[in-house]
């Protein structure tokens, strides 16, 4: 599996519209050029003042031909977008006047473009924090029907082929929710299962991990995972899962037989759910560094429409790859 090539090929075939809100950010401007040249999107929109974006493009030697530029403050959609934002946020005390000011913020404007179908996907975070990107997406795009939680996953690739799908697995949540509730953990498992289908092209087999297997330890953190498993059972989500289960019992069939005999995930796990962000974030980095494994992500999941957050240290190529992956998820 060549994850990046696969996602780029998929994005190219889908011909979707991308918005990059950080239009005056140099790496973003360069990435926009590549995305258009490689035809990974049918249209790419940068948000910001034309003169400022042109200045950045000139400094970087980037030709802006074929790239759309939208300046929210003067745009013909301002009243429409502001009214929709007001409708979405009035239960939180938003006024029409405030909505007109707030919606001009590029992250909110980009989210609104996606919400209203003027763009199919948004990628941001080269100069904004994860929290800012997430909050704009949550306020405007919201979560997929049936789920209340947005979270994230990594695609781990290049592991020993005995693990997951020829050495590729989904790890979740490694970047968003510091201490998920049982309900959130169940949502994370559902979203990760969907990510497994979209990214690995495989039916998900999901392990909800803990430091306990089937009641071997007692602690609030264990109870939380057990409750999440019960919630999932109640929802009958249409994929194979088990928990609470330790990592070795989830992965190694001989250990499964000892600690969780009869587990439906025995020898087949391709999606690992961590009990909290501490475990997830540390876990993926350990596997990445000690196992010399590729970690792609974090990719946001659970949103009603595809958006992605970038690391502020992202390279131009990271932005292009993330955009391709995000576009590949458009329904
Ligand atoms: N899913 C759905 N809705 C959510 C979620 C979520 N995960 N988190 C918050 N919300 C909702 C809240 O209910 C609230 O809704 P409302 O405005 O309708 O009332 C709204 O979003 C905003 O909530 P806040 O209270 O402002 O945000 P909060 O303080 O809960 O922070 C956030 C949420 C921004 C997602 C936070 O959890 C965060 O910053 N996570 C990122 C953690 C991080 O920094 N990770 C970096 C590691 S990345 C790496 O290493 C690769």
């Amino acid at each position: 599996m060549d994850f990046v090539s696969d996602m780029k090929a998929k994005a190219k075939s889908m011909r979707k519209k991308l918005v990059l809100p950080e239009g005056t950010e140099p790496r973003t401007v360069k990435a926009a050029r590549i995305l258009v040249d490689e035809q990974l999107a049918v249209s790419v929109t940068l948000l910001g003042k034309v003169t400022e974006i042109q200045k950045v493009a000139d400094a970087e030697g980037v030709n802006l031909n074929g790239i759309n530029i939208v300046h929210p403050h003067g745009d013909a959609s301002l009243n429409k977008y502001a009214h929709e934002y007001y409708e979405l946020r009035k239960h939180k005390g938003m006024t029409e006047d405030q909505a007109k000011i707030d919606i001009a913020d590029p992250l909110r404007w980009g989210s609104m473009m996606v919400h209203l179908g003027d763009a199919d996907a948004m990628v941001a975070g080269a100069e904004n924090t994860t929290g800012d990107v997430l909050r704009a997406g949550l306020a405007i795009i919201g979560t997929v029907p049936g789920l209340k939680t947005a979270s994230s996953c990594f695609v781990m690739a290049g592991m020993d082929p005995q693990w997951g799908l020829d050495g590729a697995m989904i790890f979740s949540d490694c970047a968003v929710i510091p201490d998920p509730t049982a309900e959130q953990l169940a949502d994370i498992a559902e979203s990760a299962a969907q990510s497994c289908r979209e990214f690995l092209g495989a039916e998900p087999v999901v392990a909800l991990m803990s430091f306990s297997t089937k009641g071997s330890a007692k602690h609030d953190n264990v109870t939380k995972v057990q409750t999440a498993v019960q919630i999932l059972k109640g929802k009958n989500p249409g994929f194979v899962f088990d928990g609470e289960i330790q990592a070795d019992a989830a992965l190694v069939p001989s250990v499964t037989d000892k600690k969780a005999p009869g587990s439906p995930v025995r020898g087949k796990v391709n999606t690992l759910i961590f009990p909290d962000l501490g475990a997830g974030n540390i876990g993926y980095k350990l596997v990445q560094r000690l196992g010399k494994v590729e970690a792609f992500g974090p990719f946001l999941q659970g949103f009603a429409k595809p958006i992605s957050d970038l690391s502020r240290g992202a390279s131009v190529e990271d932005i292009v790859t993330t955009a391709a992956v995000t576009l590949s998820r458009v329904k």
Side-chain angles (χ1 to χ4, degrees):
M1 175 195 188
D2 182 340
F3 178 70
V4 173
S5 305
D6 289 356
M7 293 300 119
K8 282 186 173 174
K10 196 170 167 197
K12 197 168 178 173
S13 72
M14 291 173 68
R15 300 180 52 76
K16 295 296 177 184
K17 296 174 282 181
L18 177 73
V19 57
L20 298 168
E22 294 158 327
T24 53
E25 195 287 310
R27 288 161 295 158
T28 304
V29 174
K30 284 184 178 168
R33 180 74 265 151
I34 296 170
L35 286 157
V36 170
D37 287 347
E38 294 189 5
Q39 298 174 358
L40 296 171
V42 73
S43 90
V44 176
T45 300
L46 293 171
L47 300 184
K49 250 187 177 162
V50 179
T51 48
E52 284 175 20
I53 294 176
Q54 188 64 59
K55 209 164 128 191
V56 175
D58 290 345
E60 299 294 330
V62 173
N63 179 338
L64 291 173
N65 280 350
I67 297 171
N68 303 322
I69 297 178
V70 169
H71 185 217
H73 286 283
D75 194 78
S77 298
L78 181 60
N79 284 339
K80 182 173 99 174
Y81 280 20
H83 183 69
E84 180 66 13
Y85 188 57
Y86 161 74
E87 288 292 334
L88 289 170
R89 302 303 292 168
K90 64 185 178 192
H91 69 289
K92 290 279 170 182
M94 180 59 60
T95 62
E96 294 261 20
D97 285 347
Q98 192 61 42
K100 242 182 203 166
I101 297 167
D102 289 356
I103 197 62
D105 163 71
L107 293 178
R108 294 199 187 99
W109 187 275
S111 299
M112 188 58 82
M113 285 181 74
V114 174
H115 173 65
L116 293 177
D118 292 335
D120 296 303
M122 173 176 96
V123 173
E127 63 181 2
N128 285 283
T129 64
T130 298
D132 286 341
V133 176
L134 286 167
R135 271 187 278 268
L138 288 168
I140 294 168
I141 296 171
T143 50
V144 80
L147 293 185
K148 290 192 185 130
T149 312
S151 58
S152 73
C153 72
F154 277 83
V155 176
M156 308 297 291
M159 293 182 284
D160 188 302
Q162 71 176 301
W163 308 122
L165 185 82
D166 291 333
M169 294 182 98
I170 302 293
F171 282 20
S172 181
D173 167 30
C174 307
V176 174
I177 308 177
D179 189 12
T181 62
E183 289 74 18
Q184 288 176 320
L185 210 47
D187 278 0
I188 289 168
E190 278 199 67
S191 295
Q194 182 58 20
S195 294
C196 176
R197 292 189 182 102
E198 290 174 10
F199 292 148
L200 303 190
E203 265 312 294
V205 180
V206 180
L208 288 96
M209 296 190 297
S210 172
F211 60 84
S212 165
T213 301
K214 306 289 175 183
S216 64
K218 302 218 176 317
H219 188 275
D220 287 350
N221 202 288
V222 174
T223 310
K224 179 174 84 171
V225 182
Q226 291 169 336
T227 308
V229 171
Q230 290 311 316
I231 293 169
L232 274 182
K233 282 187 177 155
K235 288 177 98 174
N236 194 14
F239 56 85
V240 175
F241 61 93
D242 200 10
E244 95 291 6
I245 191 164
Q246 285 161 286
D248 56 352
L251 293 168
V252 184
S254 60
V255 184
T256 316
D257 292 342
K258 286 200 187 85
K259 295 187 173 183
S263 171
V265 303
R266 183 187 185 277
K268 295 186 295 195
V269 171
N270 55 21
T271 303
L272 293 178
I273 307 302
F274 294 87
D276 57 45
L277 190 51
N281 193 268
I282 294 167
Y284 100 79
K285 285 177 199 262
L286 287 178
V287 172
Q288 176 189 28
R289 301 292 172 179
L290 300 181
K292 297 198 173 109
V293 160
E294 288 187 288
F296 299 103
F299 301 118
L300 298 178
Q301 56 188 16
F303 279 96
K305 302 263 185 85
I307 64 169
S308 282
D309 172 50
L310 298 161
S311 158
R312 275 173 291 168
S315 65
V316 174
E317 187 51 35
D318 291 337
I319 300 175
V320 172
T321 301
T322 303
V325 172
T326 312
L327 286 161
S328 79
R329 310 189 88 177
V330 176
K331 294 278 182 279

